Amino acid sequence: MRVLLVEDTIGLGEAVRDQISDDGHAVDWVQSLGFAETSVKTTSYNLILLDLMLPDGHGFDFLKKLRATGDTTPVIILTARDQVSDRIAGLNAGADDYLVKPFDLSELSARVAAVARRYRGNPNPLVRVGNLEVDLGDHRINRNGQPVELTAREWALFEGFLQRPGILLSRAQLEDRLYEFGAEIESNTIEVYISRMRKKLGHDAIVTVRGMGYRLEPNEH
Amino acid sequence: MRVLLVEDTIGLGEAVRDQISDDGHAVDWVQSLGFAETSVKTTSYNLILLDLMLPDGHGFDFLKKLRATGDTTPVIILTARDQVSDRIAGLNAGADDYLVKPFDLSELSARVAAVARRYRGNPNPLVRVGNLEVDLGDHRINRNGQPVELTAREWALFEGFLQRPGILLSRAQLEDRLYEFGAEIESNTIEVYISRMRKKLGHDAIVTVRGMGYRLEPNEH
DNA sequence: TGCTACCTGACACTGGCCTGAACGGTAACA
DNA sequence: TGTTACCGTTCAGGCCAGTGTCAGGTAGCA
């Protein structure tokens, strides 16, 4: 496996690098978000180990940006914070796992091994669904060759459906994509967005499953 | 997603079941390793939440046996132990994550969602019963290659049959799946739903056992 | 044969869903 | 600073699929 380590503490960084390296993986170690962004652009990694407090910003920003491009590389967060809310925020930002400092190096190895077991290739960022052509990186959609513009909220929902065309998403799952985790929504916001997306993407693009949720129609229509 | 919860503490089990259920996943809750082993044999899960200290043995034994069969279903361990050595042992035994009790329910949700994310792109496990092909996660059924649409109520009943194909379910058991526990139903609602399901799934799919109840026909017909 | 359990077409009602419209907030711009 | 345009959210009204009930018919059993 090829691992990107983003960590600005020299001692810890060296220890982690050596450990992962000893486990038989190739490690690239960078000390800032700037370098991290360059690295993921030029190299394809199987795993990213991400510290949160970095000299040029917060790890969450990097993570969110990464996920926004459609990159699904597994990310394990390394941080001193151990507040529940931070851990939730991390997982919601798209992290796959979490290690609280100080952590045992052998535990790190076990986690990395678990990711290695689970690893599978990165999907192609160009997705075709029904008569829609979606560029995950640029947040662009073509419908029958015509460009379609989605607002931020609409895209957030649409992305959920894209994870696997045809997947059934409950109302609660869709709400979790728009709001802070666990936020209770009283109104029919989701319905309104579904309605607006249908207007843009085609009325048959999103199918209502009464009493259960919605799903994106994966076939031509 | 379909989740198997292995937990012998009633209070905690109920709380976890309700939370996962609220997140839009189907939960089967068992209280011992024996039942857990039966469940994984008859049903295909996307995630297993595993307590370690159970009345009839230690969760690690179940986990190791599961992995030995080549089953790669993600497993999150729920345990009161927070020793690093136990966590490592768990991860090495094939667990994907662990939660230390007492844990925040919203954190549980986040972890479960993270597992769901990690598995995006994977098709849901398909269950085959008779000439029906069932996608448990997406609530989808194919009958001889043709899609079949069930309503929410119909699906609730069908799910009950699916958990143990070929097993007899009494009218009372079926009613419990539709209504608040203990609600007395006077009319022939169950009969009506059975009739409606037969129309969609095939007349031989559900067998009447006069005076006893109904069972799903597990073999080709 | 009669008795009972079960089946199913029909129907009224409810609540889930859809959508046009309006309101407040915000960011861009002159 | 005021103006404008757009986005997110809420509300209200209407529609209709899903649900529960009933009644008449059918099949199993003694």
Side-chain angles (χ1 to χ4, degrees):
Chain A
M1 279 212 311
R2 181 158 212 96
V3 180
L4 176 64
L5 170 62
V6 189
E7 169 63 64
D8 64 328
T9 311
I10 302 298
L12 181 64
E14 280 177 345
V16 170
R17 182 196 57 194
D18 294 348
Q19 179 69 42
I20 308 290
S21 186
D22 285 352
D23 290 340
H25 308 293
V27 184
D28 289 348
W29 177 20
V30 298
Q31 284 92 40
S32 73
L33 293 183
F35 278 107
E37 279 171 15
T38 311
S39 296
V40 295
K41 268 176 203 152
T42 55
T43 313
S44 173
Y45 293 95
N46 307 91
L47 171 65
I48 299 173
L49 299 174
L50 180 63
D51 187 24
L52 287 186
M53 305 305 275
L54 290 155
D56 57 345
H58 197 276
F60 281 175
D61 300 329
F62 169 76
L63 179 53
K64 277 180 188 159
K65 226 182 282 178
L66 186 76
R67 293 301 185 222
T69 66
D71 194 317
T72 58
T73 309
V75 171
I76 297 180
I77 288 178
L78 314 175
T79 178
R81 300 190 175 192
D82 59 352
Q83 304 279 318
V84 165
S85 61
D86 285 331
R87 292 152 77 178
I88 294 172
L91 291 169
N92 277 337
D96 295 79
D97 210 337
Y98 215 97
L99 273 173
V100 176
K101 300 179 194 174
F103 49 82
D104 195 290
L105 280 179
S106 59
E107 186 178 358
L108 172 70
S109 283
R111 297 282 187 129
V112 171
V115 168
R117 266 198 299 275
R118 296 296 179 203
Y119 174 73
R120 59 195 86 246
N122 282 338
N124 188 337
L126 251 186
V127 181
R128 207 175 301 268
V129 188
N131 42 14
L132 303 174
E133 202 181 65
V134 186
D135 184 331
L136 285 164
D138 289 357
H139 286 205
R140 291 175 83 92
I141 305 175
N142 271 345
R143 176 188 170 202
N144 300 325
Q146 295 298 313
V148 174
E149 300 287 341
L150 292 190
T151 69
R153 290 292 214 238
E154 288 165 359
W155 179 267
L157 289 183
F158 186 64
E159 230 180 3
F161 285 115
L162 274 185
Q163 285 175 11
R164 190 159 43 77
I167 192 178
L168 175 72
L169 291 182
S170 71
R171 201 170 287 241
Q173 286 174 301
L174 291 170
E175 283 169 3
D176 283 346
R177 295 194 67 84
L178 297 189
Y179 309 101
E180 283 303 308
F181 192 84
E184 291 291 321
I185 277 292
E186 307 274 326
S187 77
N188 64 344
T189 309
I190 297 296
E191 291 169 25
V192 173
Y193 280 115
I194 293 287
S195 172
R196 287 180 181 163
M197 288 166 70
R198 278 178 175 149
K199 216 179 276 178
K200 294 180 177 179
L201 302 175
H203 204 274
D204 302 330
I206 300 171
V207 179
T208 303
V209 184
R210 202 163 224 272
M212 299 176 183
Y214 300 88
R215 81 166 112 242
L216 186 64
E217 172 60 49
N219 303 316
E220 207 74 23
H221 50 259
Chain B
M1 285 213 306
R2 183 160 208 94
V3 179
L4 176 65
L5 170 62
V6 189
E7 170 64 63
D8 64 328
T9 311
I10 302 298
L12 181 64
E14 278 177 347
V16 170
R17 182 197 55 195
D18 293 348
Q19 179 68 44
I20 307 289
S21 186
D22 284 352
D23 291 340
H25 309 293
V27 183
D28 290 347
W29 176 20
V30 298
Q31 282 94 38
S32 72
L33 293 182
F35 278 108
E37 280 171 14
T38 312
S39 296
V40 296
K41 269 177 203 152
T42 55
T43 313
S44 175
Y45 294 95
N46 308 87
L47 171 65
I48 298 173
L49 299 174
L50 179 64
D51 188 25
L52 288 186
M53 306 305 274
L54 289 155
D56 56 345
H58 196 277
F60 280 175
D61 300 330
F62 169 77
L63 179 53
K64 279 180 189 160
K65 225 182 282 179
L66 186 77
R67 293 302 184 222
T69 67
D71 193 317
T72 59
T73 309
V75 171
I76 296 181
I77 288 178
L78 313 175
T79 177
R81 303 189 172 193
D82 59 352
Q83 305 279 316
V84 166
S85 61
D86 284 331
R87 290 149 77 181
I88 295 172
L91 292 169
N92 279 335
D96 296 78
D97 209 338
Y98 58 83
L99 276 170
V100 177
K101 300 178 193 172
F103 48 82
D104 195 289
L105 278 179
S106 59
E107 186 179 359
L108 171 71
S109 285
R111 296 284 185 126
V112 171
V115 167
R117 257 199 303 276
R118 197 181 305 166
Y119 275 73
R120 79 171 111 188
N122 269 10
N124 280 331
L126 286 180
V127 179
R128 214 172 297 269
V129 186
N131 43 14
L132 302 175
E133 203 179 64
V134 185
D135 183 329
L136 287 163
D138 273 1
H139 291 201
R140 279 222 252 228
I141 305 175
N142 270 343
R143 176 187 169 202
N144 301 324
Q146 293 299 312
V148 174
E149 302 284 343
L150 292 190
T151 70
R153 287 293 214 245
E154 288 163 0
W155 178 267
L157 288 182
F158 186 63
E159 237 181 355
F161 284 117
L162 271 186
Q163 284 172 11
R164 302 284 152 74
I167 278 257
L168 177 80
L169 289 184
S170 72
R171 202 171 290 238
Q173 284 175 299
L174 291 170
E175 282 169 4
D176 284 345
R177 293 196 68 87
L178 295 191
Y179 308 101
E180 286 302 309
F181 189 79
E184 290 293 320
I185 277 293
E186 305 277 324
S187 75
N188 65 344
T189 310
I190 297 297
E191 291 170 24
V192 173
Y193 277 112
I194 294 287
S195 170
R196 287 176 181 158
M197 288 166 69
R198 278 178 175 150
K199 211 181 282 179
K200 294 180 177 179
L201 302 175
H203 204 273
D204 302 329
I206 300 171
V207 179
T208 303
V209 183
R210 204 178 158 82
M212 312 282 284
Y214 301 88
R215 67 187 163 78
L216 185 64
E217 172 59 50
N219 303 315
E220 205 75 23
H221 49 260

